[in-house]
Amino acid sequence: MIITHDIPWAACLSNQIFPAIKKGWKDSKMKPVHFFWGLGSNNLQEIAQVKEKGEEWWMVDVGYITDQITRYPTPSIDKYDTTYFRIVKGNLHMTIGNPGDGSRHNKLLQQGIDAEFKGWNTGECKHILLAPSSQTVCGYVHNLSQEDWIKQATSEIKCYTDRTVTMRNKPRPNNEWWETDIKDDLKDCHALVTNMSLSAVDAVLNKVPVVTHQNNVCYYVSGRLEGINERRMPAREDMTMWLRSVANNQFTLQEIEDGLAYEVLNEV
């Protein structure tokens, strides 16, 4: 039994994605299977209830390596063929993925999406970039406010390095990061530190090593905070396998509706 936890907002993209899931996901009358779009509305409480019951649940959200949706003032999918959405079982992010045969990663490259590992920046680097997750995610993952997580993370970073720590928050209308490009913050960046932000994906695709929470999609290629001065820079072969796994965990709306997402994510 497929249960979509609908968000009562007409403009929400879940109103396009959930019908595609209902059409493309093989239904089982024997057990409930829950789908959530992000952590908005009542999702935090409802996820907790589903976990308590021990029932299967999947998180649906924006993709990892994709053309971006328009977020403000009204969310929209502008390029249906190259906008991908992640579908993750029992977690906010994919942490252990199936690299498959690499065809889905090759498809991203053929579509002109920035999905290529370009190596690591081994030249002189100046600063650590701190990129927190949203207030909601910080509360869900750490039971901390975003402000408290920033203070805690900054204090821990300074235990292991004397490099300058700069910060980049999520761009929102009228904040200082609105209409700025993270690539500018990643120039001369020694490493990016985050808990769950997808800025980690931007970092590794722009030659910057990362330190992330264990449930972040980049944890497989992440270093440890105490080793931030030396940095962990995985080999190209490891990065290629990671990119293939990421590509295998995100799908276009049409691929979800056609059942491809179900087939790929339920491969034995």
Side-chain angles (χ1 to χ4, degrees):
M1 178 172 54
I2 294 174
I3 302 171
T4 56
H5 292 254
D6 300 331
I7 293 177
W9 180 35
C12 182
L13 292 184
S14 62
N15 292 319
Q16 296 184 57
I17 294 168
F18 284 164
I21 287 174
K22 289 178 178 177
K23 185 173 181 179
W25 207 267
K26 290 184 180 179
D27 198 359
S28 170
K29 304 298 182 183
M30 302 298 292
K31 65 174 184 177
V33 180
H34 300 262
F35 289 88
F36 296 91
W37 170 255
L39 295 177
S41 189
N42 295 319
N43 283 359
L44 284 171
Q45 297 91 331
E46 293 176 7
I47 289 171
Q49 292 168 7
V50 168
K51 284 182 175 181
E52 188 174 346
K53 295 177 184 176
E55 294 176 349
E56 182 177 324
W57 65 281
W58 296 74
M59 176 60 65
V60 188
D61 211 326
V62 294
Y64 297 118
I65 304 174
T66 175
D67 277 333
Q68 297 300 312
I69 61 171
T70 293
R71 294 178 181 271
Y72 303 100
T74 302
S76 65
I77 304 170
D78 302 315
K79 300 178 180 179
Y80 279 84
D81 291 341
T82 52
T83 300
Y84 291 82
F85 299 92
R86 68 183 188 262
I87 306 177
V88 182
K89 188 175 183 179
N91 207 345
L92 297 186
H93 285 314
M94 176 211 84
T95 53
I96 301 175
N98 175 13
D101 61 5
S103 59
R104 292 190 60 76
H105 179 226
N106 288 334
K107 179 182 178 182
L108 295 177
L109 296 171
Q110 292 164 4
Q111 289 176 319
I113 294 173
D114 183 8
E116 179 185 2
F117 176 62
K118 308 170 190 69
W120 300 109
N121 184 0
T122 57
E124 183 179 358
C125 300
K126 300 176 181 178
H127 66 282
I128 306 292
L129 182 61
L130 184 64
S133 293
S134 68
Q135 179 87 337
T136 303
V137 172
C138 286
Y140 177 75
V141 176
H142 307 284
N143 199 29
L144 291 173
S145 69
Q146 186 193 67
E147 181 180 1
D148 285 342
W149 183 85
I150 291 169
K151 290 178 181 177
Q152 178 178 297
T154 302
S155 177
E156 290 182 17
I157 291 168
K158 290 182 176 179
C159 290
Y160 302 110
T161 183
D162 58 2
R163 295 177 185 273
T164 300
V165 179
T166 61
M167 200 190 85
R168 179 182 176 85
N169 213 331
K170 290 182 176 295
R172 296 290 186 263
N174 301 320
N175 76 8
E176 64 182 279
W177 299 278
W178 181 243
E179 295 185 338
T180 65
D181 192 333
I182 191 172
K183 291 181 181 179
D184 293 329
D185 294 295
L186 293 171
K187 290 176 182 176
D188 301 320
C189 182
H190 178 77
L192 178 141
V193 177
T194 185
N195 42 4
M196 295 293 287
S197 172
L198 294 187
S199 61
V201 177
D202 294 305
V204 297
L205 289 176
N206 285 279
K207 307 176 74 171
V208 176
V210 296
V211 175
T212 76
H213 187 274
Q214 63 184 6
N215 287 334
N216 189 292
V217 64
C218 286
Y219 185 68
Y220 176 79
V221 298
S222 166
R224 296 174 62 83
L225 197 57
E226 53 266 37
I228 196 166
N229 265 333
E230 293 74 30
R231 303 184 296 174
R232 179 176 178 235
M233 295 179 281
R236 180 172 296 275
E237 294 78 11
D238 293 329
M239 294 302 301
T240 297
M241 295 302 285
W242 174 76
L243 283 166
R244 286 169 55 174
S245 297
V246 170
N248 255 15
N249 219 109
Q250 58 173 33
F251 306 90
T252 65
L253 199 63
Q254 190 64 56
E255 289 174 335
I256 296 170
E257 184 175 311
D258 289 346
L260 180 63
Y262 176 88
E263 292 175 7
V264 172
L265 293 174
N266 287 278
E267 285 180 351
V268 178

